[in-house]
Amino acid sequence: MKRLYDRWRIRRASAEGVLIPPSVFESQQGFPRFVNVAKELGLVTSTWHTSRQLRYFRNNGTGKFTERTADAGFQAIFGGLNLIHADYDNDGDLDLFVGNEGFPCRLFGNERGASFLDVAKHAGATNSGVVKGSCLGDYNGLRYPELYISNLDGPNKLYRNNRNGRFTDVAKEAGVVARTLVFRAGSGASTTTAHLICSSPHIGLIWSSSSKTICVCVQ
């Protein structure tokens, strides 16, 4: 009955040009909520051009940003088409992966919000291919994100998180090397199964972590 009443209120308000109260859109279900952290997040910007500087802007919490590129440790860091934020080491801070084209990728560990440190070489995730797609996601259910990278005209990489700050490339044994032109990569889950989804102009791949199988969809 309440839902019918709310719908009636929405239709009436729309017809009369009345502002609809937020309470109308409140859910009656008791599931966990997302927290708005927009005022706490900074911005990292990049460009495909290898002569353009990676830049970091700190959020002032007032609707404005202040550039802190040098303070963040991004001085003289250029290019970067694929930027992914994730807490790869589970220390509570967002880290940054930068996928490059034709020169080593970078993995910046967040130093408690003060600056970033490139740990790609130490972590074993440098990858010197031409990166066209990348994603971070927990494919094995151990609560640490893995890193998948699709390379143009080269073997793709699936870096398993060893949970000690390092990665191991397991793409071959996982069956996701897939030498195909992939321009998008993403991860997702349904119930307890993790999936890896890739797409290109002519082919799509869906890899299931539970069945260890790949579904190929040709357009």
mmCIF file of all heavy atoms in Angstrom, residues 49-95:
data_model
loop_
_atom_site.group_PDB
_atom_site.id
_atom_site.type_symbol
_atom_site.label_atom_id
_atom_site.label_comp_id
_atom_site.label_asym_id
_atom_site.label_seq_id
_atom_site.Cartn_x
_atom_site.Cartn_y
_atom_site.Cartn_z
ATOM 1 N N HIS A 49 49.814 10.867 -24.539
ATOM 2 C CA HIS A 49 51.058 11.433 -25.068
ATOM 3 C C HIS A 49 52.200 11.207 -24.072
ATOM 4 O O HIS A 49 52.106 11.558 -22.900
ATOM 5 C CB HIS A 49 50.884 12.925 -25.336
ATOM 6 C CG HIS A 49 51.823 13.472 -26.366
ATOM 7 N ND1 HIS A 49 53.189 13.566 -26.163
ATOM 8 C CD2 HIS A 49 51.595 13.924 -27.630
ATOM 9 C CE1 HIS A 49 53.759 14.070 -27.237
ATOM 10 N NE2 HIS A 49 52.819 14.295 -28.142
ATOM 11 N N THR A 50 53.298 10.638 -24.568
ATOM 12 C CA THR A 50 54.414 10.283 -23.687
ATOM 13 C C THR A 50 55.220 11.478 -23.200
ATOM 14 O O THR A 50 56.153 11.313 -22.416
ATOM 15 C CB THR A 50 55.359 9.298 -24.398
ATOM 16 O OG1 THR A 50 55.780 9.853 -25.646
ATOM 17 C CG2 THR A 50 54.650 7.981 -24.658
ATOM 18 N N SER A 51 54.885 12.676 -23.660
ATOM 19 C CA SER A 51 55.585 13.872 -23.182
ATOM 20 C C SER A 51 54.736 14.686 -22.210
ATOM 21 O O SER A 51 55.169 15.736 -21.746
ATOM 22 C CB SER A 51 56.012 14.762 -24.361
ATOM 23 O OG SER A 51 54.874 15.306 -25.015
ATOM 24 N N ARG A 52 53.530 14.182 -21.904
ATOM 25 C CA ARG A 52 52.628 14.902 -21.013
ATOM 26 C C ARG A 52 52.700 14.334 -19.598
ATOM 27 O O ARG A 52 52.684 13.125 -19.396
ATOM 28 C CB ARG A 52 51.199 14.833 -21.541
ATOM 29 C CG ARG A 52 51.037 15.412 -22.951
ATOM 30 C CD ARG A 52 51.187 16.921 -22.970
ATOM 31 N NE ARG A 52 51.108 17.455 -24.323
ATOM 32 C CZ ARG A 52 49.971 17.708 -24.954
ATOM 33 N NH1 ARG A 52 48.817 17.479 -24.358
ATOM 34 N NH2 ARG A 52 49.983 18.196 -26.180
ATOM 35 N N GLN A 53 52.723 15.208 -18.628
ATOM 36 C CA GLN A 53 52.921 14.881 -17.227
ATOM 37 C C GLN A 53 51.675 14.250 -16.584
ATOM 38 O O GLN A 53 50.554 14.696 -16.798
ATOM 39 C CB GLN A 53 53.281 16.160 -16.463
ATOM 40 C CG GLN A 53 53.298 16.065 -14.965
ATOM 41 C CD GLN A 53 54.504 15.315 -14.458
ATOM 42 O OE1 GLN A 53 55.637 15.631 -14.790
ATOM 43 N NE2 GLN A 53 54.255 14.300 -13.650
ATOM 44 N N LEU A 54 51.882 13.174 -15.810
ATOM 45 C CA LEU A 54 50.841 12.657 -14.934
ATOM 46 C C LEU A 54 50.632 13.683 -13.824
ATOM 47 O O LEU A 54 51.601 14.177 -13.246
ATOM 48 C CB LEU A 54 51.279 11.316 -14.333
ATOM 49 C CG LEU A 54 50.216 10.467 -13.643
ATOM 50 C CD1 LEU A 54 49.290 9.831 -14.672
ATOM 51 C CD2 LEU A 54 50.882 9.378 -12.810
ATOM 52 N N ARG A 55 49.383 14.018 -13.509
ATOM 53 C CA ARG A 55 49.128 15.085 -12.543
ATOM 54 C C ARG A 55 48.181 14.611 -11.430
ATOM 55 O O ARG A 55 47.282 13.809 -11.667
ATOM 56 C CB ARG A 55 48.523 16.305 -13.253
ATOM 57 C CG ARG A 55 49.397 16.841 -14.373
ATOM 58 C CD ARG A 55 48.724 17.967 -15.130
ATOM 59 N NE ARG A 55 48.651 19.185 -14.329
ATOM 60 C CZ ARG A 55 48.008 20.286 -14.742
ATOM 61 N NH1 ARG A 55 47.377 20.298 -15.904
ATOM 62 N NH2 ARG A 55 47.996 21.358 -13.977
ATOM 63 N N TYR A 56 48.426 15.137 -10.237
ATOM 64 C CA TYR A 56 47.604 14.776 -9.075
ATOM 65 C C TYR A 56 47.032 16.035 -8.442
ATOM 66 O O TYR A 56 47.750 17.010 -8.196
ATOM 67 C CB TYR A 56 48.444 14.025 -8.035
ATOM 68 C CG TYR A 56 47.747 13.834 -6.713
ATOM 69 C CD1 TYR A 56 46.632 13.009 -6.600
ATOM 70 C CD2 TYR A 56 48.209 14.483 -5.570
ATOM 71 C CE1 TYR A 56 45.991 12.839 -5.388
ATOM 72 C CE2 TYR A 56 47.566 14.322 -4.346
ATOM 73 C CZ TYR A 56 46.453 13.500 -4.262
ATOM 74 O OH TYR A 56 45.820 13.348 -3.058
ATOM 75 N N PHE A 57 45.724 16.005 -8.178
ATOM 76 C CA PHE A 57 45.037 17.137 -7.559
ATOM 77 C C PHE A 57 44.415 16.679 -6.240
ATOM 78 O O PHE A 57 43.599 15.755 -6.229
ATOM 79 C CB PHE A 57 43.959 17.688 -8.493
ATOM 80 C CG PHE A 57 44.493 18.217 -9.792
ATOM 81 C CD1 PHE A 57 44.662 17.377 -10.882
ATOM 82 C CD2 PHE A 57 44.833 19.552 -9.913
ATOM 83 C CE1 PHE A 57 45.161 17.862 -12.083
ATOM 84 C CE2 PHE A 57 45.334 20.059 -11.106
ATOM 85 C CZ PHE A 57 45.505 19.209 -12.188
ATOM 86 N N ARG A 58 44.781 17.335 -5.160
ATOM 87 C CA ARG A 58 44.248 16.977 -3.839
ATOM 88 C C ARG A 58 42.926 17.688 -3.604
ATOM 89 O O ARG A 58 42.763 18.873 -3.890
ATOM 90 C CB ARG A 58 45.244 17.345 -2.740
ATOM 91 C CG ARG A 58 44.745 17.035 -1.325
ATOM 92 C CD ARG A 58 45.864 17.117 -0.322
ATOM 93 N NE ARG A 58 46.828 16.039 -0.564
ATOM 94 C CZ ARG A 58 47.988 15.932 0.093
ATOM 95 N NH1 ARG A 58 48.343 16.839 0.989
ATOM 96 N NH2 ARG A 58 48.796 14.933 -0.170
ATOM 97 N N ASN A 59 41.974 16.939 -3.075
ATOM 98 C CA ASN A 59 40.650 17.475 -2.776
ATOM 99 C C ASN A 59 40.702 18.312 -1.499
ATOM 100 O O ASN A 59 41.109 17.829 -0.444
ATOM 101 C CB ASN A 59 39.658 16.319 -2.608
ATOM 102 C CG ASN A 59 38.221 16.766 -2.665
ATOM 103 O OD1 ASN A 59 37.872 17.852 -2.231
ATOM 104 N ND2 ASN A 59 37.365 15.894 -3.190
ATOM 105 N N ASN A 60 40.299 19.577 -1.599
ATOM 106 C CA ASN A 60 40.304 20.453 -0.426
ATOM 107 C C ASN A 60 39.075 20.268 0.448
ATOM 108 O O ASN A 60 38.996 20.836 1.545
ATOM 109 C CB ASN A 60 40.380 21.923 -0.867
ATOM 110 C CG ASN A 60 41.644 22.225 -1.633
ATOM 111 O OD1 ASN A 60 42.678 21.602 -1.420
ATOM 112 N ND2 ASN A 60 41.574 23.181 -2.554
ATOM 113 N N GLY A 61 38.109 19.483 -0.040
ATOM 114 C CA GLY A 61 36.888 19.277 0.727
ATOM 115 C C GLY A 61 35.934 20.449 0.676
ATOM 116 O O GLY A 61 34.944 20.494 1.401
ATOM 117 N N THR A 62 36.227 21.416 -0.193
ATOM 118 C CA THR A 62 35.395 22.620 -0.300
ATOM 119 C C THR A 62 34.811 22.779 -1.695
ATOM 120 O O THR A 62 34.265 23.839 -2.020
ATOM 121 C CB THR A 62 36.232 23.869 0.023
ATOM 122 O OG1 THR A 62 37.315 23.965 -0.925
ATOM 123 C CG2 THR A 62 36.795 23.799 1.429
ATOM 124 N N GLY A 63 34.949 21.735 -2.505
ATOM 125 C CA GLY A 63 34.507 21.834 -3.886
ATOM 126 C C GLY A 63 35.615 22.264 -4.820
ATOM 127 O O GLY A 63 35.386 22.444 -6.016
ATOM 128 N N LYS A 64 36.820 22.434 -4.288
ATOM 129 C CA LYS A 64 37.970 22.842 -5.095
ATOM 130 C C LYS A 64 39.131 21.871 -4.880
ATOM 131 O O LYS A 64 39.187 21.162 -3.893
ATOM 132 C CB LYS A 64 38.404 24.268 -4.737
ATOM 133 C CG LYS A 64 37.363 25.329 -5.057
ATOM 134 C CD LYS A 64 37.875 26.721 -4.754
ATOM 135 C CE LYS A 64 36.851 27.783 -5.115
ATOM 136 N NZ LYS A 64 37.348 29.154 -4.852
ATOM 137 N N PHE A 65 40.055 21.874 -5.854
ATOM 138 C CA PHE A 65 41.226 21.005 -5.804
ATOM 139 C C PHE A 65 42.493 21.840 -5.891
ATOM 140 O O PHE A 65 42.500 22.917 -6.478
ATOM 141 C CB PHE A 65 41.204 20.005 -6.971
ATOM 142 C CG PHE A 65 40.090 19.000 -6.903
ATOM 143 C CD1 PHE A 65 38.815 19.315 -7.355
ATOM 144 C CD2 PHE A 65 40.316 17.739 -6.393
ATOM 145 C CE1 PHE A 65 37.789 18.398 -7.294
ATOM 146 C CE2 PHE A 65 39.295 16.802 -6.335
ATOM 147 C CZ PHE A 65 38.035 17.137 -6.781
ATOM 148 N N THR A 66 43.575 21.310 -5.292
ATOM 149 C CA THR A 66 44.886 21.955 -5.364
ATOM 150 C C THR A 66 45.880 20.958 -5.952
ATOM 151 O O THR A 66 45.946 19.811 -5.500
ATOM 152 C CB THR A 66 45.375 22.395 -3.970
ATOM 153 O OG1 THR A 66 44.426 23.300 -3.406
ATOM 154 C CG2 THR A 66 46.733 23.081 -4.077
ATOM 155 N N GLU A 67 46.639 21.384 -6.956
ATOM 156 C CA GLU A 67 47.592 20.462 -7.564
ATOM 157 C C GLU A 67 48.733 20.155 -6.607
ATOM 158 O O GLU A 67 49.354 21.052 -6.033
ATOM 159 C CB GLU A 67 48.145 21.017 -8.871
ATOM 160 C CG GLU A 67 49.071 20.023 -9.566
ATOM 161 C CD GLU A 67 49.410 20.377 -10.989
ATOM 162 O OE1 GLU A 67 48.965 21.462 -11.459
ATOM 163 O OE2 GLU A 67 50.118 19.591 -11.643
ATOM 164 N N ARG A 68 49.022 18.863 -6.437
ATOM 165 C CA ARG A 68 50.089 18.394 -5.551
ATOM 166 C C ARG A 68 50.905 17.303 -6.260
ATOM 167 O O ARG A 68 51.303 16.320 -5.659
ATOM 168 C CB ARG A 68 49.496 17.840 -4.260
ATOM 169 C CG ARG A 68 48.877 18.896 -3.355
ATOM 170 C CD ARG A 68 49.965 19.704 -2.651
ATOM 171 N NE ARG A 68 49.431 20.626 -1.651
ATOM 172 C CZ ARG A 68 49.072 21.870 -1.889
ATOM 173 N NH1 ARG A 68 49.193 22.350 -3.125
ATOM 174 N NH2 ARG A 68 48.602 22.642 -0.945
ATOM 175 N N THR A 69 51.153 17.502 -7.554
ATOM 176 C CA THR A 69 51.850 16.502 -8.352
ATOM 177 C C THR A 69 53.230 16.173 -7.794
ATOM 178 O O THR A 69 53.591 14.997 -7.635
ATOM 179 C CB THR A 69 51.986 16.984 -9.811
ATOM 180 O OG1 THR A 69 50.677 17.200 -10.351
ATOM 181 C CG2 THR A 69 52.725 15.968 -10.664
ATOM 182 N N ALA A 70 54.019 17.183 -7.483
ATOM 183 C CA ALA A 70 55.371 16.960 -6.968
ATOM 184 C C ALA A 70 55.327 16.300 -5.594
ATOM 185 O O ALA A 70 56.098 15.373 -5.306
ATOM 186 C CB ALA A 70 56.132 18.282 -6.899
ATOM 187 N N ASP A 71 54.422 16.747 -4.726
ATOM 188 C CA ASP A 71 54.311 16.176 -3.387
ATOM 189 C C ASP A 71 53.915 14.705 -3.432
ATOM 190 O O ASP A 71 54.315 13.912 -2.573
ATOM 191 C CB ASP A 71 53.265 16.945 -2.564
ATOM 192 C CG ASP A 71 53.670 18.388 -2.311
ATOM 193 O OD1 ASP A 71 54.876 18.687 -2.425
ATOM 194 O OD2 ASP A 71 52.792 19.213 -2.012
ATOM 195 N N ALA A 72 53.129 14.337 -4.453
ATOM 196 C CA ALA A 72 52.665 12.958 -4.566
ATOM 197 C C ALA A 72 53.733 12.022 -5.106
ATOM 198 O O ALA A 72 53.581 10.800 -5.039
ATOM 199 C CB ALA A 72 51.433 12.899 -5.470
ATOM 200 N N GLY A 73 54.832 12.581 -5.643
ATOM 201 C CA GLY A 73 55.886 11.746 -6.210
ATOM 202 C C GLY A 73 55.690 11.437 -7.674
ATOM 203 O O GLY A 73 56.291 10.499 -8.199
ATOM 204 N N PHE A 74 54.851 12.214 -8.369
ATOM 205 C CA PHE A 74 54.576 11.983 -9.781
ATOM 206 C C PHE A 74 55.400 12.870 -10.702
ATOM 207 O O PHE A 74 55.138 12.937 -11.901
ATOM 208 C CB PHE A 74 53.085 12.218 -10.072
ATOM 209 C CG PHE A 74 52.179 11.192 -9.453
ATOM 210 C CD1 PHE A 74 50.890 11.539 -9.072
ATOM 211 C CD2 PHE A 74 52.603 9.896 -9.252
ATOM 212 C CE1 PHE A 74 50.039 10.606 -8.508
ATOM 213 C CE2 PHE A 74 51.761 8.954 -8.679
ATOM 214 C CZ PHE A 74 50.481 9.309 -8.314
ATOM 215 N N GLN A 75 56.372 13.566 -10.165
ATOM 216 C CA GLN A 75 57.208 14.436 -10.979
ATOM 217 C C GLN A 75 57.943 13.615 -12.033
ATOM 218 O O GLN A 75 58.502 12.551 -11.745
ATOM 219 C CB GLN A 75 58.226 15.170 -10.099
ATOM 220 C CG GLN A 75 58.836 16.402 -10.725
ATOM 221 C CD GLN A 75 57.868 17.581 -10.755
ATOM 222 O OE1 GLN A 75 56.787 17.506 -10.207
ATOM 223 N NE2 GLN A 75 58.266 18.662 -11.411
ATOM 224 N N ALA A 76 57.913 14.100 -13.297
ATOM 225 C CA ALA A 76 58.592 13.448 -14.423
ATOM 226 C C ALA A 76 58.021 12.069 -14.728
ATOM 227 O O ALA A 76 58.719 11.194 -15.233
ATOM 228 C CB ALA A 76 60.097 13.346 -14.165
ATOM 229 N N ILE A 77 56.739 11.849 -14.422
ATOM 230 C CA ILE A 77 56.035 10.631 -14.817
ATOM 231 C C ILE A 77 55.117 11.005 -15.968
ATOM 232 O O ILE A 77 54.237 11.850 -15.824
ATOM 233 C CB ILE A 77 55.203 10.045 -13.654
ATOM 234 C CG1 ILE A 77 56.099 9.799 -12.426
ATOM 235 C CG2 ILE A 77 54.508 8.774 -14.087
ATOM 236 C CD1 ILE A 77 57.181 8.775 -12.654
ATOM 237 N N PHE A 78 55.337 10.379 -17.137
ATOM 238 C CA PHE A 78 54.626 10.795 -18.344
ATOM 239 C C PHE A 78 53.748 9.676 -18.908
ATOM 240 O O PHE A 78 54.004 8.499 -18.678
ATOM 241 C CB PHE A 78 55.626 11.240 -19.415
ATOM 242 C CG PHE A 78 56.543 12.334 -18.957
ATOM 243 C CD1 PHE A 78 57.840 12.055 -18.555
ATOM 244 C CD2 PHE A 78 56.104 13.649 -18.903
ATOM 245 C CE1 PHE A 78 58.694 13.064 -18.130
ATOM 246 C CE2 PHE A 78 56.944 14.669 -18.483
ATOM 247 C CZ PHE A 78 58.240 14.372 -18.092
ATOM 248 N N GLY A 79 52.741 10.083 -19.715
ATOM 249 C CA GLY A 79 51.888 9.125 -20.404
ATOM 250 C C GLY A 79 50.959 8.368 -19.459
ATOM 251 O O GLY A 79 50.745 8.751 -18.316
ATOM 252 N N GLY A 80 50.400 7.275 -19.995
ATOM 253 C CA GLY A 80 49.523 6.432 -19.187
ATOM 254 C C GLY A 80 48.083 6.480 -19.642
ATOM 255 O O GLY A 80 47.369 7.421 -19.346
ATOM 256 N N LEU A 81 47.644 5.439 -20.382
ATOM 257 C CA LEU A 81 46.266 5.406 -20.864
ATOM 258 C C LEU A 81 45.326 4.679 -19.908
ATOM 259 O O LEU A 81 44.148 4.976 -19.840
ATOM 260 C CB LEU A 81 46.208 4.715 -22.228
ATOM 261 C CG LEU A 81 46.548 5.563 -23.439
ATOM 262 C CD1 LEU A 81 46.508 4.704 -24.700
ATOM 263 C CD2 LEU A 81 45.576 6.717 -23.583
ATOM 264 N N ASN A 82 45.833 3.695 -19.190
ATOM 265 C CA ASN A 82 45.010 2.870 -18.316
ATOM 266 C C ASN A 82 45.360 3.138 -16.858
ATOM 267 O O ASN A 82 46.395 2.710 -16.362
ATOM 268 C CB ASN A 82 45.230 1.382 -18.622
ATOM 269 C CG ASN A 82 44.717 1.002 -19.994
ATOM 270 O OD1 ASN A 82 43.577 0.618 -20.157
ATOM 271 N ND2 ASN A 82 45.576 1.123 -21.002
ATOM 272 N N LEU A 83 44.498 3.872 -16.171
ATOM 273 C CA LEU A 83 44.700 4.174 -14.756
ATOM 274 C C LEU A 83 43.652 3.438 -13.922
ATOM 275 O O LEU A 83 42.452 3.535 -14.202
ATOM 276 C CB LEU A 83 44.591 5.673 -14.485
ATOM 277 C CG LEU A 83 45.876 6.506 -14.606
ATOM 278 C CD1 LEU A 83 46.422 6.461 -16.017
ATOM 279 C CD2 LEU A 83 45.612 7.945 -14.179
ATOM 280 N N ILE A 84 44.096 2.679 -12.938
ATOM 281 C CA ILE A 84 43.191 1.930 -12.082
ATOM 282 C C ILE A 84 43.528 2.204 -10.623
ATOM 283 O O ILE A 84 44.689 2.103 -10.210
ATOM 284 C CB ILE A 84 43.300 0.415 -12.314
ATOM 285 C CG1 ILE A 84 43.203 0.073 -13.799
ATOM 286 C CG2 ILE A 84 42.223 -0.326 -11.533
ATOM 287 C CD1 ILE A 84 43.467 -1.374 -14.089
ATOM 288 N N HIS A 85 42.515 2.537 -9.848
ATOM 289 C CA HIS A 85 42.695 2.725 -8.412
ATOM 290 C C HIS A 85 42.187 1.489 -7.686
ATOM 291 O O HIS A 85 41.064 1.046 -7.916
ATOM 292 C CB HIS A 85 41.917 3.953 -7.926
ATOM 293 C CG HIS A 85 42.428 5.245 -8.462
ATOM 294 N ND1 HIS A 85 43.512 5.890 -7.919
ATOM 295 C CD2 HIS A 85 42.024 6.009 -9.505
ATOM 296 C CE1 HIS A 85 43.739 7.013 -8.588
ATOM 297 N NE2 HIS A 85 42.857 7.100 -9.561
ATOM 298 N N ALA A 86 42.996 0.934 -6.811
ATOM 299 C CA ALA A 86 42.580 -0.212 -5.997
ATOM 300 C C ALA A 86 43.581 -0.367 -4.857
ATOM 301 O O ALA A 86 44.735 0.066 -4.957
ATOM 302 C CB ALA A 86 42.508 -1.487 -6.820
ATOM 303 N N ASP A 87 43.148 -0.986 -3.786
ATOM 304 C CA ASP A 87 44.027 -1.241 -2.642
ATOM 305 C C ASP A 87 44.656 -2.619 -2.820
ATOM 306 O O ASP A 87 44.182 -3.610 -2.283
ATOM 307 C CB ASP A 87 43.215 -1.167 -1.346
ATOM 308 C CG ASP A 87 44.074 -1.338 -0.109
ATOM 309 O OD1 ASP A 87 45.316 -1.333 -0.225
ATOM 310 O OD2 ASP A 87 43.497 -1.486 0.991
ATOM 311 N N TYR A 88 45.743 -2.691 -3.591
ATOM 312 C CA TYR A 88 46.310 -3.994 -3.954
ATOM 313 C C TYR A 88 46.946 -4.714 -2.774
ATOM 314 O O TYR A 88 47.054 -5.944 -2.758
ATOM 315 C CB TYR A 88 47.326 -3.828 -5.097
ATOM 316 C CG TYR A 88 48.742 -3.558 -4.655
ATOM 317 C CD1 TYR A 88 49.662 -4.594 -4.513
ATOM 318 C CD2 TYR A 88 49.163 -2.263 -4.351
ATOM 319 C CE1 TYR A 88 50.960 -4.342 -4.093
ATOM 320 C CE2 TYR A 88 50.445 -2.009 -3.942
ATOM 321 C CZ TYR A 88 51.350 -3.051 -3.811
ATOM 322 O OH TYR A 88 52.631 -2.798 -3.384
ATOM 323 N N ASP A 89 47.399 -3.963 -1.758
ATOM 324 C CA ASP A 89 48.062 -4.591 -0.618
ATOM 325 C C ASP A 89 47.201 -4.620 0.645
ATOM 326 O O ASP A 89 47.672 -4.997 1.719
ATOM 327 C CB ASP A 89 49.392 -3.894 -0.321
ATOM 328 C CG ASP A 89 49.228 -2.381 -0.181
ATOM 329 O OD1 ASP A 89 48.078 -1.888 -0.224
ATOM 330 O OD2 ASP A 89 50.254 -1.691 -0.039
ATOM 331 N N ASN A 90 45.933 -4.220 0.521
ATOM 332 C CA ASN A 90 44.981 -4.263 1.634
ATOM 333 C C ASN A 90 45.460 -3.528 2.883
ATOM 334 O O ASN A 90 45.275 -4.001 4.008
ATOM 335 C CB ASN A 90 44.643 -5.714 1.999
ATOM 336 C CG ASN A 90 43.523 -6.281 1.145
ATOM 337 O OD1 ASN A 90 43.093 -5.654 0.186
ATOM 338 N ND2 ASN A 90 43.060 -7.467 1.469
ATOM 339 N N ASP A 91 46.047 -2.345 2.691
ATOM 340 C CA ASP A 91 46.480 -1.562 3.839
ATOM 341 C C ASP A 91 45.527 -0.405 4.134
ATOM 342 O O ASP A 91 45.796 0.428 4.994
ATOM 343 C CB ASP A 91 47.908 -1.045 3.646
ATOM 344 C CG ASP A 91 48.009 -0.034 2.502
ATOM 345 O OD1 ASP A 91 47.010 0.141 1.761
ATOM 346 O OD2 ASP A 91 49.083 0.562 2.333
ATOM 347 N N GLY A 92 44.413 -0.354 3.394
ATOM 348 C CA GLY A 92 43.409 0.667 3.646
ATOM 349 C C GLY A 92 43.532 1.911 2.794
ATOM 350 O O GLY A 92 42.699 2.816 2.909
ATOM 351 N N ASP A 93 44.557 1.982 1.923
ATOM 352 C CA ASP A 93 44.748 3.150 1.060
ATOM 353 C C ASP A 93 44.636 2.740 -0.403
ATOM 354 O O ASP A 93 45.061 1.649 -0.787
ATOM 355 C CB ASP A 93 46.126 3.790 1.293
ATOM 356 C CG ASP A 93 46.265 4.364 2.692
ATOM 357 O OD1 ASP A 93 45.334 5.069 3.114
ATOM 358 O OD2 ASP A 93 47.283 4.105 3.340
ATOM 359 N N LEU A 94 44.097 3.636 -1.213
ATOM 360 C CA LEU A 94 43.994 3.367 -2.640
ATOM 361 C C LEU A 94 45.350 3.518 -3.321
ATOM 362 O O LEU A 94 45.999 4.553 -3.215
ATOM 363 C CB LEU A 94 42.993 4.318 -3.292
ATOM 364 C CG LEU A 94 41.503 4.020 -3.082
ATOM 365 C CD1 LEU A 94 40.661 5.102 -3.733
ATOM 366 C CD2 LEU A 94 41.143 2.656 -3.652
ATOM 367 N N ASP A 95 45.774 2.482 -4.034
ATOM 368 C CA ASP A 95 47.004 2.512 -4.812
ATOM 369 C C ASP A 95 46.637 2.792 -6.272
ATOM 370 O O ASP A 95 45.460 2.815 -6.640
ATOM 371 C CB ASP A 95 47.743 1.186 -4.666
ATOM 372 C CG ASP A 95 47.943 0.816 -3.204
ATOM 373 O OD1 ASP A 95 48.612 1.571 -2.485
ATOM 374 O OD2 ASP A 95 47.399 -0.230 -2.773
#
